[in-house]
Amino acid sequence: MTERYNWTVPANATTGTYTILAGVWNSNWVWSTGASTSVTVTSSASAGTTGGQTTGSTGSTGTPLSSSTAGANLPAAAQATPYYSCSTNWYVDASSGSDSNAGTSSGAPFRTIARATTKNASLAAGGCVNVAPGTYNEFVTVTNSAGKAGNLNSKTGFVVLRSTTALAAKIVGPSSNGYSAVTLPASYAVIDGFDVSGGANAGHCIDGGYNVPSNHAHHLTIINNHAHNCGGSGISVNSGDYYIIAGNTSNNNAGTSGYQTSGISLASAVNATGFTATSTDSSYYHNIVANNISYNNVETFACSTYGMSAGCHTDGEGIIVDCFDCSGVGVYTGRTLVVGNLVYGNGGNGIQVGRSSNVVVANNTSYGNFTDVNNYGTARGELGNMAGTNTTWVNNIAWATPGAGVLAKNVPLLDEGKMSISGVTYPGTGVTWNNNIYWGAGVAVWNGASISSSMNFSKNPGLVAPTGGNFTLTSSSPAQGSGLPEGFLTDTTPNIGAY
């Protein structure tokens, strides 16, 4: 099949010629660069024009999704190529559908997503629920009527909820009588291409197991969505294994939940057992967080609302990998890759690895995070290692923007070293910081940790206009072609940072 990718020249783009590269993630999450094209900005009048590129790809059958911009003057969140195929199709259309229809053709669609999922006994592995543009005011659960989803990590092994047009199907969680707007409580489930908002009170936009952690749902794929304006996390996965979170935008979440939530959260991973493994399951990384944009996720609730003292906020991270070493269900052994993400303006860290092992954080750009003045903590790193063990931080850009009061503690890189939390000691050993560019302040190291100044570099990373939302590199940026080659990067001379 082919897919057409579109882009829009940012309104503040400088004159010049920009090269657009296309490519494909394969099943082992290695990026293969494909066709390229270019667009030339000759004057300010050129800004805002749109171009496109058609590329070959391996992905789902049916109508492909096109990439979308996250907001004004922002680069598009790189679209994830879907790893699924649809052997059976169901159709939903809020405008023309009826729940008394058969739902098996676009000419006779259901009206609600629930009719195609939790009220549908025939939905099974290989089944795709194709949702037409429109607004769907309902809590959505990606299972069939028996509470099951797919059964195998193969192209036809998943149950898939997909928007037929990128971000045009809008799921708005009702404000009461529920929790998260979208829940994925069963294994082998995919949500692809939705605009998701709302949820009741503290609920998440997209919830992969947090509300039902005992299910230990695994093989969950959350791609190409816009998760925004939810009281809890934009995207949250909990107590499972084998997660792919890619090509999403998460913003303006985490405000009203007292459970300390974030833009994108992976917590308390548990080794998946009792499933039929395929060759794809031998991939080096169990969990992939790739090419997302997470911004302006800030806790805003009054501490007194939850009976806590002032300064009670602890989270609001752009991306957090949290407590993989403290799930209470054995030692989690899977590896996690956090790569190619942009995080900025969040209340907490840009990216934090807390009490978790075997995590690689690579080629991300983090700017101006830890904005929450009601977080009184002094551990305020753009990139923060909080008792993470055997973690690698490589090829990242971290630009801190310290301010007055508690914001004066903001730093680009922070390693907290060995820590004891709730009577448990986390060694914080085996941590590598290598070839990162940091700016805005010095680094901070505690409890025996170290960040080498000969392997990490304090210099202006040369972003085009970060205060205006343009995080691409200038032609003279020291990050251009200065990245270390890694197995998950096909470019032998990659840039440092996400772009």
Side-chain angles (χ1 to χ4, degrees), residues 87-492:
S87 56
T88 305
N89 284 282
W90 306 88
Y91 298 87
V92 180
D93 192 322
S95 298
S96 64
S98 169
D99 283 355
S100 62
N101 284 341
T104 54
S105 72
S106 58
F110 296 132
R111 184 180 63 83
T112 64
I113 297 172
R115 177 63 184 86
T117 54
T118 54
K119 296 180 181 179
N120 184 359
S122 299
L123 180 63
C128 291
V129 176
N130 301 279
V131 183
T135 299
Y136 298 84
N137 295 105
E138 54 182 304
F139 290 112
V140 172
T141 301
V142 189
T143 66
N144 61 17
S145 59
K148 302 294 184 182
N151 58 16
L152 194 69
N153 190 6
S154 68
K155 285 198 170 186
T156 57
F158 292 85
V159 159
V160 178
L161 183 68
R162 62 196 302 259
S163 173
T164 59
T165 302
L167 307 183
K170 303 178 185 297
I171 298 173
V172 181
S175 60
S176 61
N177 301 321
Y179 190 66
S180 297
V182 178
T183 303
L184 291 76
S187 301
Y188 302 105
V190 177
I191 178 170
D192 181 2
F194 286 85
D195 182 294
V196 184
S197 63
N201 302 314
H204 310 299
C205 285
I206 301 176
D207 182 347
Y210 188 87
N211 202 28
V212 279
S214 60
N215 287 13
H216 301 308
H218 52 84
H219 294 91
L220 301 182
T221 299
I222 301 169
I223 53 176
N224 306 321
N225 303 286
H226 183 194
H228 60 98
N229 298 99
C230 288
S233 292
I235 298 171
S236 173
V237 292
N238 182 282
S239 302
D241 197 359
Y242 291 100
Y243 299 126
I244 295 173
I245 302 172
N248 304 284
T249 297
S250 177
N251 64 278
N252 297 89
N253 301 296
T256 58
S257 174
Y259 295 109
Q260 313 286 9
T261 55
S262 298
I264 298 174
S265 173
L266 295 80
S268 303
V270 174
N271 296 306
T273 60
F275 67 96
T276 301
T278 68
S279 59
T280 305
D281 290 316
S282 63
S283 175
Y284 188 76
Y285 295 104
H286 282 204
N287 310 302
I288 308 287
V289 184
N291 299 340
N292 302 283
I293 298 174
S294 185
Y295 68 100
N296 292 356
N297 299 287
V298 184
E299 295 178 307
T300 58
F301 62 86
C303 295
S304 59
T305 300
Y306 296 95
M308 294 184 279
S309 302
C312 68
H313 297 173
T314 63
D315 287 73
E317 290 84 5
I319 299 171
I320 182 170
V321 180
D322 192 26
C323 226
F324 281 19
D325 293 342
C326 51
S327 67
V329 189
V331 176
Y332 182 69
T333 57
R335 296 180 178 90
T336 300
L337 175 64
V338 181
V339 61
N341 303 282
L342 169 64
V343 289
Y344 69 96
N346 295 288
N349 304 91
I351 301 174
Q352 183 190 103
V353 177
R355 294 176 286 176
S356 299
S357 299
N358 306 317
V359 181
V360 174
V361 181
N363 293 88
N364 303 282
T365 296
S366 180
Y367 174 84
N369 293 286
F370 250 119
T371 63
D372 188 354
V373 296
N374 289 309
N375 180 332
Y376 290 178
T378 57
R380 305 178 69 90
E382 288 288 320
L383 304 179
N385 192 74
M386 189 190 82
T389 300
N390 297 328
T391 61
T392 298
W393 303 77
V394 60
N395 290 347
N396 299 289
I397 291 174
W399 186 334
T401 54
V406 68
L407 302 183
K409 298 290 186 180
N410 290 7
V411 297
L413 306 179
L414 168 68
D415 194 333
E416 298 186 56
K418 180 180 179 180
M419 300 181 70
S420 293
I421 302 173
S422 300
V424 178
T425 298
Y426 300 92
T429 55
V431 180
T432 300
W433 296 86
N434 195 12
N435 207 50
N436 301 288
I437 290 178
Y438 63 93
W439 192 241
V443 303
V445 292
W446 301 351
N447 305 319
S450 64
I451 298 176
S452 170
S453 59
S454 64
M455 297 173 64
N456 300 277
F457 311 103
S458 176
K459 56 183 68 175
N460 189 321
L463 305 181
V464 170
T467 57
N470 190 336
F471 298 91
T472 54
L473 304 177
T474 63
S475 59
S476 60
S477 167
Q480 291 275 9
S482 299
L484 297 176
E486 299 289 342
F488 44 82
L489 302 173
T490 56
D491 192 343
T492 57

